[in-house]
Amino acid sequence: MPSSQFWIIFKEKLERVAEIVIAIIIGFIIAGIMMWLGGYDPIAAYIAMFEYSFSLTDPYYLAMTLSFAAPVMLTAITFAVGVRAGLFNIGAEGQLYMGALGAIMVASWSLPGPLYLPLAMIIGSLMGAAWGLIAGVLKVYRGVNEVVSTIMLNWIAFWIVEYARVYVYPNPIDASKTISMPPAGRLPILIKGTELSASFIVSLVFVGIAFYLLWYMVLGYEIRATGLNPSAARYGGINPKKTMLWAFIIGGIAAGLAGVCEIAGRPPSYAITTGLSNLMGLGFDGITVSLLGANHPLGIIPASIFIGALSSGARGMQIVTNVPLEMVKAVQGIIIIALAVPGIVRLIRSKILRREVKVV
Amino acid sequence: MNDVIVQMKNIVKIYPDGTVALRGVDFEVRKGEIHGLLGENGAGKTTLMKILSGLLRPTSGEIYIAGKKVSFKSASEALKHGIGMVHQHLALVPAFTAYENIVLGLPGREASREKIEKLMEETGLKVPLDALVEDLPFGVRQRIEIIKMLYRNVDILILDEPTTNLTPIETKELFHTLKELKKRGKTIIFITHKLREVLEVTDRITVLRRGRVVGRTETAKATPEMLAKMMVGREVVMKIEKKPAKPGEPVLIVKDLWVKNDLGEWAVKGLSFAVYSGEIFGIAGVEGNGQTELVEAITGLRRVEKGQVILMGKDVTNRSPSELYRLGLSHIPEDRHKLGLVLDMTVSENSILGIHRLKKFLGSLLNLKWRVIDKHAREIIEKFEIVAPGTRAPARSLSGGNQQKLVVGRELSKSPQVIVAAQPTRGLDVAATEYIRKLLIKMRDKGKAVLLVSADLDEILQLSDRMAVMYEGEFMGIAKPEELTEERIGLMMGGYKMEQISAGTKPQPAASS
């Protein structure tokens, strides 16, 4: 009896992983064809990409990969917790901006040194949560679709933070950025000479908490039940409104924390730069990571490292083979499309299976 | 006038899952008549008419329209032969106007506003053409459907339980329309379980029971008693051993309860009753007469507009399900896929749905103690003889019967005082059905109160100590099952109150409505 249970679960997990691997391969193949059509050597480009992301001889590249993985790991949790509650929360981008703003706010105060970091984390994640909660309240009490509200809130957050960058917290020495987090409030660098700071550890810990929450705590149980079958959840005495609000709050905390980490843990500037250029896209990349990780915290860890590797490897690709950096975005985009339509993958698979049956 | 226009011969329909819906039905309709098709749930009325209107294909059998053999592959082919069906759930686009809905799908040149206006003029079927369908009451929407059919030159109009969501006035108007259409030579097939209506409006009646024709008659020669008996006539009932009930205190009391359905119309109209500990109180009736809404209101899933629900001596009107569970309520819901289970969650996870905040399952971090929960699930699996691959397998991987046993097992593991069981054996095989029925009797013998709602009359008759028959949101009567004859039950299911029947006065069909 236990063995049949094992096989059912194992087969399902395997199918899910296979779907993701197929999507990744499709992404690389199509991008390779694009490079080839553009007159580049895709194989050389991919080798360079690998060298500059997972090089075994120089830890610098691996450190880059992990430092890029850290923020998207957190914004992926925002999306994943939303999906688990039956929501399509794509507001991590704006919530991350607000988190970063919270960190800069704390940086502007004069405080005893050891207080900067914990206070920045608390205020930043609370601001992220509050930003997420706006969409949550609109959804639960006014029936506003969260896709629409979070997209709009992303832009509102963008302009609020951009305004604050220029008019509230401008850097007196360098007009292209805000004031910096004072050294006492910075996350320690893990490998000297790289951008890899303790933000990677903060992210890992938070992912661990999210995992525990979703699978080992009552609230997580209620969130998952609501996402899978809201009527049954209601029947089970669960208040779906409450669980949805919690999902927005937890997601907001994750994204807000990612914003704080980008300020307190990203050398050299430790600040928000012009047009939020050092924050831009981290929220949306989280969606990619979450989908790649099957919206599961434990899947999100390797998925975020993969996306981090693409980002750091893209530089190598450009240096060695002249392939433009943007090609990596194409790979990412194609993978998402291949993932977003698992129906197509399933269709192809069933066609192949049917053909096999016919042959037999 | 007596030409046969529709003739269906020896129609058999077996659904892919093996359900036999029709077991060789011969059905005949004459041109220009209103023909009533009468029967209980699952009698095969709708299946037969879906075959006639091309939505379903028969497993075997032949269809003749005006003497010519036909075989429809789709509803549009049936439409070409002038056959159209108005379903219980109307197929209109809510965001479109009445006019847009009527012409939807027609080639542009055939859409003529004047022609529709003329049609409305002639038939007296008036609808506001420029109003959005979502703003119109149900009765008007139904008229739009009928106009839609007439505009497509339908000569044989099938109406499936058309009065279910209508107010009495709307019903009257509908009947007037039907008679008007009949005068214009249209043939109408009227599917219903309501005896009064079938007697009032039809010319001839065919009665179906469990996929067979059990009677054909001219309406003029029919009496409600005779139709009732045909409709519910029992086959061999399997007997279940049952000790006499020892009812105790009233633990569930419902007082003057008023509840609305999803369309915002009254579904439960001032019901009052009590269920005592140590008894099974059964509610029979054709589905859609407010039973679902009643159960949902009692179990905290639907708003009570007026009236009271008292559970274990406490007023629990409009309280949340979790509060009711804490007071000792168990609810076996009628739809295990929609309500009872989260199919993508594991057996263990499902085994605590609704009791997941109990202290014994919780650790100090508000964490779930999976070891305790797995043990709880294993106990349910063993005690209720559930065949499951394991506690960590998704509930989806269980068969229907075992899924239902999981729901029942979970609900009974709460050690409840009051059990509300809605359609507890629907879709189950004989063994699982008997198992669950015996369990309910066991709970009764242990002094629990059981409220059983079922469309399966056998189930109600076998299990109940007292029973009520529900019709259009009201009880037609409450009695002990052994005091009721099939004829009386059939009359109540068809809309006659028990007082009217037992007073000895012959129910007067058309006069009262």
Side-chain angles (χ1 to χ4, degrees), chain A residues 1-6 8-9 12 212 214-226 228-238 242, chain B residues 301 321-322 325 331 333 337-339 341-342 344-345 349 352-354 356-357 362 365-368 370 388-394 396 410-411:
Chain A
M1 284 259 273
S3 68
S4 68
Q5 167 180 343
F6 174 78
I8 289 175
I9 298 167
E12 273 186 6
Y212 186 77
L214 280 176
W215 268 272
Y216 288 90
M217 288 178 71
V218 181
L219 178 60
Y221 174 83
E222 295 189 341
I223 285 178
R224 287 185 297 121
T226 304
L228 290 169
N229 186 343
S231 317
R234 216 163 77 80
Y235 157 82
I238 296 165
K242 222 170 79 185
Chain B
L301 293 170
S322 52
Y325 298 156
H331 176 195
H337 289 165
K338 198 178 148 221
L339 287 185
L341 295 169
V342 182
D344 285 315
M345 280 187 150
E349 286 171 321
I352 55 164
L353 185 65
H356 56 277
R357 280 184 180 271
L362 288 190
L365 285 169
L366 277 182
N367 55 319
L368 293 164
W370 285 118
T391 54
R392 292 293 175 101
R396 192 169 11 92
R410 176 187 69 214
E411 292 307 306

Side-chain angles (χ1 to χ4, degrees), chain B residues 419-483:
Chain B
I419 300 157
V420 176
Q423 322 289 356
T425 61
R426 169 178 292 169
L428 302 189
D429 61 30
V430 179
T433 300
E434 205 184 325
Y435 182 85
I436 286 172
R437 287 182 184 170
K438 279 186 175 156
L439 248 149
L440 290 175
I441 290 179
K442 214 164 101 191
M443 295 313 282
R444 170 198 88 149
D445 292 342
K446 279 189 185 166
K448 319 288 185 196
V450 180
L451 174 64
L452 172 69
V453 177
S454 179
D456 181 342
L457 192 53
D458 280 342
E459 184 159 275
I460 297 284
L461 291 172
Q462 266 180 38
L463 299 184
S464 309
D465 300 308
R466 289 186 303 139
M467 65 174 282
V469 181
M470 199 162 170
Y471 176 85
E472 293 197 330
E474 290 175 70
F475 283 167
M476 294 294 105
I478 299 179
K480 290 189 171 156
E482 54 271 22
E483 296 169 356

Side-chain angles (χ1 to χ4, degrees), chain A residues 102-124 179-187 260 264:
Chain A
I104 293 297
M105 261 167 67
V106 173
S108 74
W109 302 339
S110 26
L111 294 167
L115 279 186
Y116 278 108
L117 193 55
L119 218 55
M121 288 200 169
I122 291 168
I123 292 192
I179 51 168
S180 297
M181 179 60 81
R186 295 177 188 175
L187 286 159
V260 174

Side-chain angles (χ1 to χ4, degrees), chain A residues 158 162 165-166 174-178 272-279:
Chain A
F158 177 90
E162 182 68 358
R165 181 187 71 79
V166 178
D174 182 351
S176 72
K177 56 186 184 186
T178 60
I272 301 173
T273 56
T274 321
L276 318 192
S277 55
N278 61 334
L279 304 175

Side-chain angles (χ1 to χ4, degrees), chain B residues 351-362:
Chain B
S351 77
I352 55 164
L353 185 65
I355 43 175
H356 56 277
R357 280 184 180 271
L358 280 188
K359 265 208 182 103
K360 63 172 172 179
F361 298 129
L362 288 190

